[in-house]
Amino acid sequence: MDPALFMVTAAGLDALVDAQGGGTDPIQIASLGISENAFTMAPTISAVPGELKRIEAIAGEAVSETVIHMTAQDVSEDIYELRGLGLYLDDGTLFAIYSQPTPIFRKVSISFFLLALDIGFSNGVAGDIVFGDTTFLMPPASETVKGVAEIATAAEAHAGIDDQRIITPLKLRLVLNALGELIAPGEPDFAAAFAALIARTITGAGLVTGGGNLSDSRILTVLAATAADVAAGAATDRAVTPGALAGLPRLLAQNGYAHLPGLGGLILQWGRFSALPNATSAALFPIAFPAQCFAVVSDGGVSGGADSQDNPPVLVASSISQTGFSVFSADDSSATRIYLALGV
């Protein structure tokens, strides 16, 4: 329930200012005046209009800087409908008033009056106000004040947005069990569901290794192939990265070579050389093939122009080795040749 907003009277404000300024001790509220009349609140009022009686059994305590919780009781056999309230200080000064058109409380002769109100102030003045008797005070519970609290329903506990009501162990267990049902469908018990979740495993397969259950942090690993692994083309438990490809032996030049990854160490070499006239000329590869040169293709043209003989250099197949090959030219002029060679 929202606090009842009392209006502080002019006399009450003077007393409060003195207390806040250190001129007096905190003001003490000693009694509660009640009235069956609804009246218009005004700061000039000095007594509760139509005051029926004053109740001395009154207690209160600040529950925040702007809210005081107050409790009052009347054990008489009086009959009345309460519409107006007034807080009196111990010297008889009317400190604050409150009224509303509809009854705040209806008392019959066989009942006793027990009123509990939260009194709100627009400024932080609650700490400068005290009450005499606090033996039957029942303030609302908060994070700093012990008091009366309402127990949350199961729906309120599940919603998780109400900060005014208290959740019991039973309702908390219901919430946790619902969470357990989300974690492990078909398992309504949270403890069992959580244990089942921890027992689940994440393990590697294929190129991925490592893992384990969820009781601890786990690391999954994928081994990276080296340039040598890529060149060899034999490892099956590693992943080829751009870095490994960039590390393959190569020479990107007019006479160069490159290792072809994933093809069992295959090497491609290329270049240019000059075939001498009427002679056998040797061409050397940029690097020697480690095992074997499978094939060489040589092509090009003569350089003698229109007078050149139609006798271009030819590849001497028997000369192909790991380090190079030869061509024989029956032309009277030198000829530039290009070649491609493949091997391992």
Side-chain angles (χ1 to χ4, degrees):
M1 183 177 69
D2 293 333
L5 295 179
F6 275 63
M7 175 180 286
V8 179
T9 66
L13 182 60
D14 290 340
L16 182 60
V17 169
D18 289 341
Q20 289 182 319
T24 64
D25 293 332
I27 58 176
Q28 180 173 320
I29 296 176
S31 60
L32 174 70
I34 63 174
S35 173
E36 291 187 297
N37 299 337
F39 54 84
T40 301
M41 296 184 290
T44 56
I45 296 177
S46 59
V48 176
E51 185 173 318
L52 176 67
K53 63 187 301 184
R54 291 192 187 182
I55 299 174
E56 304 295 333
I58 180 173
E61 180 181 1
V63 294
S64 73
E65 291 184 352
T66 58
V67 177
I68 289 177
H69 179 76
M70 184 195 74
T71 304
Q73 64 178 350
D74 179 7
V75 296
S76 71
E77 296 181 357
D78 295 341
I79 302 173
Y80 52 82
E81 290 187 345
L82 179 63
R83 292 183 178 85
L85 300 171
L87 301 177
Y88 286 94
L89 303 182
D90 53 355
D91 63 358
T93 300
L94 180 62
F95 173 68
I97 53 174
Y98 175 78
S99 179
Q100 65 182 46
T102 57
I104 303 170
F105 184 87
R106 290 186 175 94
K107 184 181 180 305
V108 298
S109 61
I110 61 174
S111 68
F112 70 89
F113 171 103
L114 180 59
L115 175 68
L117 283 178
D118 288 335
I119 305 171
F121 297 91
S122 58
N123 297 318
V125 301
D128 297 300
I129 302 172
V130 297
F131 287 74
D133 185 12
T134 59
T135 56
F136 59 94
L137 185 64
M138 294 184 294
S142 70
E143 293 180 356
T144 57
V145 177
K146 297 178 181 179
V148 179
E150 182 181 353
I151 295 177
T153 65
E156 290 166 343
H158 281 282
I161 59 175
D162 191 333
D163 198 32
Q164 302 298 318
R165 293 166 178 81
I166 293 177
I167 187 169
T168 63
L170 175 60
K171 304 292 174 48
L172 178 60
R173 186 57 181 261
L174 293 176
V175 174
L176 292 177
N177 285 348
L179 180 59
E181 180 72 26
L182 293 176
I183 294 175
E187 179 53 78
D189 183 74
F190 176 76
F194 193 71
L197 177 63
I198 293 177
R200 293 178 184 175
T201 59
I202 297 178
T203 55
L207 297 180
V208 183
T209 60
N213 64 34
L214 302 184
S215 63
D216 201 353
S217 299
R218 304 297 180 186
I219 296 176
L220 299 176
T221 303
V222 176
L223 296 177
T226 65
D229 293 330
V230 176
T236 60
D237 60 346
R238 291 165 173 80
V240 176
T241 65
L245 293 176
L248 289 172
R250 59 185 175 177
L251 176 61
L252 304 181
Q254 181 171 284
N255 286 35
Y257 61 90
H259 285 244
L260 304 180
L263 297 177
L266 198 64
I267 301 173
L268 176 65
Q269 302 201 60
W270 61 89
R272 297 184 186 186
F273 68 99
S274 181
L276 299 176
N278 300 307
T280 298
S281 301
L284 294 177
F285 299 134
I287 60 171
F289 286 100
Q292 182 182 359
C293 177
F294 296 138
V296 176
V297 177
S298 177
D299 198 1
V302 297
S303 57
D307 296 332
S308 297
Q309 301 174 16
D310 190 17
N311 297 308
V314 294
L315 177 68
V316 181
S318 61
S319 69
I320 298 174
S321 68
Q322 293 173 243
T323 58
F325 64 94
S326 297
V327 294
F328 173 77
S329 176
D331 202 337
D332 292 336
S333 302
S334 296
T336 299
R337 308 295 292 174
I338 58 176
Y339 68 87
L340 289 175
L342 199 64
V344 293

